[in-house]
Amino acid sequence: MKVGVLALQGAFDRHAQELSLAGAAPLEIRGPKHLEDVDALIIPGGESTTILKLAESLGVRDLLSDQIRDGLPVLGTCAGMIVLSKAIIDGRDDQNPLGSIDIDVRRNGYGRQLASFEADLQIAGFETPFRGVFIRAPLVERAGKDVEVLASVEGNPVFCRQEKIMTTSFHPELVSDGRIHELFLELAFASS
Ligand code: GLN
């Protein structure tokens, strides 16, 4: 199974490593052509403004949102969550997300004191906690009724799923724990 990692900007290397460890073949996506033969996709952390701008100028944006709408499984982490959201609060005026998952997120929503932090997350279906690394993470301020919340921190969703779209406010690629990537691959390749 070929899993693309959007490699326009940001933390894509570690995702590729985790995918290999989980038994998938990672593929760096840098233009529309690369998107043609992937079975699933990861949108990494980084700067959502830059990722969206580059996606637009490289001609990836529309193709990406069409493919996701047509069922391409996708995991968005941190900035990737912002890119996939329906609405961005405190984003730039020209920052239009793809609207693939029914959540509204506040950029850098954990505030100055908590700009970066770690937390042990209880994730539905995991036997032991998952260490969540949050780096200027988005705060999910609204999750629609079709969104399943798989983990929260102090009442705020940090891991969301809607059909084959998963988003995390934290960086699962930065801890040596492949369970989120494995879960994503299971979801992506489960017959539905
Ligand atoms: N704050 C960044 C943004 O708005 C996201 C940070 C991250 O991906 N670690 O895009």
Side-chain angles (χ1 to χ4, degrees):
M1 51 185 100
K2 286 192 203 149
V3 181
V5 184
L6 196 64
L8 305 181
Q9 187 267 344
F12 46 87
D13 281 13
R14 298 285 292 266
H15 278 296
Q17 280 172 29
E18 285 301 333
L19 286 171
S20 301
L21 287 171
L27 218 98
E28 289 186 3
I29 307 294
R30 298 178 189 279
K33 244 197 131 6
H34 299 157
L35 270 176
E36 275 167 17
D37 53 10
V38 294
D39 308 304
L41 180 75
I42 294 182
I43 304 181
E47 276 305 330
S48 53
T49 42
T50 313
I51 294 174
L52 280 163
K53 240 193 240 159
L54 287 172
E56 180 87 54
S57 63
L58 294 168
V60 171
R61 184 193 161 101
D62 289 348
L63 194 59
L64 198 60
S65 75
D66 288 355
Q67 280 182 262
I68 297 170
R69 193 200 51 223
D70 293 344
L72 180 75
V74 58
L75 168 66
T77 62
C78 202
M81 174 190 251
I82 301 173
V83 168
L84 290 167
S85 68
K86 190 136 275 176
I88 304 174
I89 302 148
D90 276 354
R92 289 176 39 141
D93 288 349
D94 59 349
Q95 192 178 15
N96 293 316
L98 300 183
S100 311
I101 181 167
D102 191 19
I103 56 173
D104 297 345
V105 298
R106 182 177 294 277
R107 267 188 93 205
N108 305 322
Y110 286 89
R112 274 173 167 264
Q113 295 302 322
L114 277 180
S116 297
F117 64 99
E118 295 190 10
D120 278 330
L121 307 175
Q122 303 296 334
I123 294 181
F126 288 9
E127 276 175 19
T128 54
F130 189 95
R131 191 74 179 159
V133 177
F134 295 78
I135 305 169
R136 296 186 304 110
L139 181 70
V140 176
E141 294 209 344
R142 186 193 64 83
K145 63 173 176 22
D146 295 331
V147 174
E148 182 186 0
V149 175
L150 297 167
S152 300
V153 170
E154 290 174 3
N156 299 112
V158 295
F159 186 12
C160 300
R161 181 185 82 91
Q162 185 177 342
E163 294 174 354
K164 294 205 176 211
I165 302 168
M166 278 185 164
T167 57
T168 65
S169 335
F170 53 97
H171 283 261
E173 79 286 7
L174 293 182
V175 288
S176 299
D177 184 339
R179 286 179 292 171
I180 299 235
H181 290 80
E182 284 159 16
L183 185 67
F184 172 58
L185 293 178
E186 257 170 50
L187 172 87
F189 299 106
S191 46
S192 54

